[in-house]
């Protein structure tokens, strides 16, 4: 099982000091968080993609390429690649290039984002969000697997005898997760291709996540990729820790109360009761996270949101120390002991390459 962190890259005022970081400071902080993630033994760093204030990660491949050059083991991912408003040809080439530079330490998560105005900014209509996601990914999937593509669709100009370059490393495309909060069509899309499904799992009660993951598992089996419990599932999560749970609640409360997304709404206590947000001790985070398995089954990737709402970098790095030293080692051991032998581990470039080699060998017999 893979553990890591994901960031949305928001530039938010620290409500305890009134200070707002500059864009430069926030970008550098995201890099520092990625480096810390590798240092403390996490597996994955994932960045969002936004094209509007107060967010800064408008160019995920630039950031991930820079981080790739400064890390050795960390798997570099996106927590959203905008499949609706990015040209699939550009996605194919940009992420194949990143895959080569990072020696295969790359995967990505397709999503539609949460900012409606991004559609007209990139020449699209938000009313076509789902059809765009379906058509664009169909083309991207082909571009990575066919050396020469002839294609005609609804939303972009046709392609004739087109080859995207560079070709994927070792002939193996980056693994793709399809991320969604509430769209069953995206769970269906992930299942159709046999890709991973990533449930955001932050703002909704567990029953909603259970339904979405359950649909994906059912359809994954329907399309013949394996049994339902072999489907590739990832979850988001959100935590804030101190060794004493009362200290965690007291310190995080002003950030929660003023957070851009859920601030000035439900109380911290109401939100932690109704969603997977965990504010407390490392042991409370361990217990809550292990409980996710009770309603989604065995899964392959757990990413935590740790750096939003104006939290200062020093605090985030302290959180990562606790996560890497006290939480993840226990979660690894416990999840692995519970996972049946027939349930696959999280895909990596090496495992996908080995599977492709085996398939090629069997086809040649």
């Amino acid at each position: 099982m893979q553990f890591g962190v994901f960031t949305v890259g928001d530039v938010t005022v620290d409500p305890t000091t009134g200070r707002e970081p500059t864009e430069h400071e926030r970008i550098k902080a995201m890099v520092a968080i990625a480096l810390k993630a590798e240092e403390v033994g996490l597996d994955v760093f994932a960045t969002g993609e936004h094209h509007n204030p107060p967010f800064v990660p408008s160019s995920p491949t630039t950031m991930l390429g820079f981080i790739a050059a400064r890390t050795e083991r960390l798997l570099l991912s996106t927590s959203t690649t905008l499949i609706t408003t990015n040209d699939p040809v550009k996605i194919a080439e940009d992420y194949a290039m990143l895959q080569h530079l990072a020696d295969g330490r790359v995967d990505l998560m397709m999503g539609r984002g949460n900012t409606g105005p991004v559609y007209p900014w990139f020449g699209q209509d938000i009313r076509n969000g789902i059809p765009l996601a379906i058509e664009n990914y169909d083309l991207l999937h082909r571009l990575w697997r066919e050396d020469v593509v002839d294609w005609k669709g609804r939303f972009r100009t046709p392609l004739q005898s087109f080859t995207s370059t560079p070709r994927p490393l070792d002939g193996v495309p980056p693994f793709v997760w399809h991320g969604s909060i509430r769209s069953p069509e995206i769970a269906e899309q992930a299942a159709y291709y046999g890709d991973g499904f990533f449930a955001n799992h932050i703002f909704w009660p567990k029953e909603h996540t259970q339904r979405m993951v359950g649909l994906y598992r059912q359809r994954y089996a329907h399309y013949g990729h394996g049994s339902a419990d072999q489907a590739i599932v990832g979850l988001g999560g959100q935590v804030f820790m101190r060794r004493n749970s009362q200290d965690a609640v007291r310190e995080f409360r002003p950030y929660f109360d003023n957070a851009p997304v859920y601030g000035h709404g439900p109380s911290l206590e109401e939100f932690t009761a109704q969603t997977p947000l965990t504010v407390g001790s490392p042991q409370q985070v361990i217990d809550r996270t292990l409980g996710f398995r009770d309603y989604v089954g065995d899964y392959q990737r757990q990413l935590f949101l740790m750096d939003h709402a104006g939290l200062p970098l020093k605090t985030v790095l302290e959180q990562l120390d606790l996560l890497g030293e006290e939480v993840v080692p226990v979660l690894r051991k416990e999840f692995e002991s519970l996972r049946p032998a027939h349930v696959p581990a999280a895909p990596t470039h090496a495992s996908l390459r080995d599977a492709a080699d085996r398939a090629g060998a069997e086809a040649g017999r």
Side-chain angles (χ1 to χ4, degrees), residues 248-268:
V249 171
R250 182 173 57 253
E251 184 175 348
F252 188 64
R253 188 180 300 279
Y255 295 97
F256 175 89
D257 288 346
N258 294 280
V261 175
Y262 45 60
H264 311 288
S267 70
L268 176 59

Side-chain angles (χ1 to χ4, degrees), residues 87-263:
D87 182 0
V89 173
K90 196 70 168 72
I91 295 177
E93 297 191 332
D94 282 354
Y95 283 91
M97 177 66 78
L98 177 61
Q99 186 192 35
H100 280 272
L101 292 172
D103 295 322
R105 294 185 289 128
V106 173
D107 61 30
L108 64 165
M109 187 191 307
M110 300 299 168
R112 290 179 292 137
N114 60 4
T115 307
V118 74
Y119 285 84
W121 294 341
F122 288 86
Q124 300 295 349
D125 186 331
I126 193 172
R127 293 170 294 185
N128 295 325
I130 293 292
L132 275 164
I134 293 170
E135 179 177 297
N136 283 353
Y137 184 65
D138 176 68
L139 175 55
L140 175 61
H141 192 269
R142 290 185 57 190
L143 289 168
W144 274 338
R145 288 163 177 82
E146 300 175 27
D147 289 338
V148 180
V149 172
D150 292 294
W151 179 90
K152 184 177 182 180
R154 175 181 169 192
F155 297 110
R156 78 173 315 279
T157 53
L159 296 174
Q160 294 181 343
S161 302
F162 179 76
T163 300
S164 69
T165 60
R167 305 303 298 146
L169 178 64
D170 301 321
V172 178
F175 185 74
V176 168
W177 304 81
H178 298 259
S180 180
I181 297 176
R182 59 184 180 272
S183 301
E185 297 93 340
I186 302 305
E188 175 78 16
Q189 183 183 42
Y192 176 81
Y193 289 100
D195 294 336
F197 179 69
F198 190 92
N200 182 275
H201 197 227
I202 287 180
F203 303 120
W204 290 64
K206 65 181 183 181
E207 291 80 9
H208 173 79
T209 299
Q210 183 179 35
R211 287 192 295 270
M212 290 289 288
V213 173
L215 171 64
Y216 161 67
R217 290 189 183 280
Q218 175 190 355
R219 301 301 290 171
Y220 183 95
H222 168 81
Y223 288 115
H225 300 299
S227 59
D229 61 353
Q230 292 176 314
I232 308 300
V233 173
L235 294 182
Q238 187 180 353
V239 300
F240 186 88
M241 293 174 286
R242 291 301 184 196
R243 287 188 168 83
N244 181 292
S245 60
Q246 290 81 8
D247 291 339
V249 171
R250 182 173 57 253
E251 184 175 348
F252 188 64
R253 188 180 300 279
Y255 295 97
F256 175 89
D257 288 346
N258 294 280
V261 175
Y262 45 60

Side-chain angles (χ1 to χ4, degrees), residues 40-53:
V40 301
L42 302 184
D43 304 303
V44 184
F45 172 82
T47 176
E49 178 187 347
H50 295 276
H51 299 275
N52 58 292

